[in-house]
Amino acid sequence: MKTLTRLSLILIFLASFLSSCEKDDLQNPELEESSIELENFNSNYQKWKASGIKSYTMTESLGCFCLVRGEHDLNIVNNSITTIKNNQGMAVAINNSGLITINELFEFIEKSLGRNPATSRIKYDTTYGYPVDVYFDYDTRMADEERGYVLKNFIPTE
């Protein structure tokens, strides 16, 4: 009788363990969140492309463990940065500044989402669809690998 009771307990344990392992992936909140982020990314990227804007000015802040700090005014012509000025109005070298165009920001977001970051935040402009606030922390156990961008004062110049 004891053997039958033990066998029953083992079978009950195995059945409950196996049923907990068969959860549908759609019940995983992280997968649902990344799916929603990808949908938002795609719809806003399409909105941005449909706007046809290739030349604009904007203020960009880069948040990272890097040399460029604070807000910078960018002038973009034909999807390329032509000038960068810091908040004192002084020109900043374009190469190695870490500042990027909106198209490059979409590329950054797409690559970052593909890395399955530990934390992400992306907010989009409701009119044109470009990202206005982007933040990724790829690994919460590491310091200084986070990266974020904030865009404001966007003005199309075409």
Side-chain angles (χ1 to χ4, degrees), residues 98-150:
L99 300 168
I100 58 178
T101 66
I102 290 174
N103 287 345
E104 292 168 329
L105 185 54
F106 273 111
E107 290 173 15
F108 167 75
I109 293 168
E110 186 173 35
K111 287 178 185 174
S112 295
L113 288 173
R115 290 176 62 181
N116 298 318
T119 305
S120 62
R121 177 185 70 239
I122 310 167
K123 295 178 183 173
Y124 299 94
D125 176 76
T126 55
T127 304
Y128 298 111
Y130 66 89
V132 295
D133 186 7
V134 176
Y135 174 80
F136 289 99
D137 183 356
Y138 303 103
D139 187 340
T140 56
R141 298 167 296 170
M142 290 180 64
D144 303 333
E145 61 21 286
E146 305 89 359
R147 193 167 193 95
Y149 292 89
V150 175

Side-chain angles (χ1 to χ4, degrees), residues 57-115:
T57 61
M58 67 178 179
T59 302
E60 183 173 309
S61 298
L62 172 59
C64 64
F65 188 69
C66 48
L67 296 175
V68 176
R69 298 195 192 284
E71 293 185 342
H72 290 79
D73 294 322
L74 281 68
N75 187 45
I76 291 87
V77 177
N78 291 323
N79 292 318
S80 295
I81 299 173
T82 58
T83 60
I84 301 174
K85 292 184 180 179
N86 64 18
N87 54 6
Q88 286 87 32
M90 297 176 61
V92 174
I94 295 171
N95 296 343
N96 301 321
S97 70
L99 300 168
I100 58 178
T101 66
I102 290 174
N103 287 345
E104 292 168 329
L105 185 54
F106 273 111
E107 290 173 15
F108 167 75
I109 293 168
E110 186 173 35
K111 287 178 185 174
S112 295
L113 288 173
R115 290 176 62 181

Side-chain angles (χ1 to χ4, degrees), residues 29-66:
E30 288 179 11
L31 289 177
E32 284 182 23
E33 185 176 312
S34 86
S35 176
I36 291 168
E37 281 182 336
L38 197 55
E39 282 180 35
N40 285 338
F41 170 83
N42 288 328
S43 66
N44 282 289
Y45 184 52
Q46 293 305 319
K47 187 187 286 190
W48 170 249
K49 286 193 327 186
S51 76
I53 298 170
K54 295 178 183 169
S55 299
Y56 51 93
T57 61
M58 67 178 179
T59 302
E60 183 173 309
S61 298
L62 172 59
C64 64
F65 188 69
C66 48

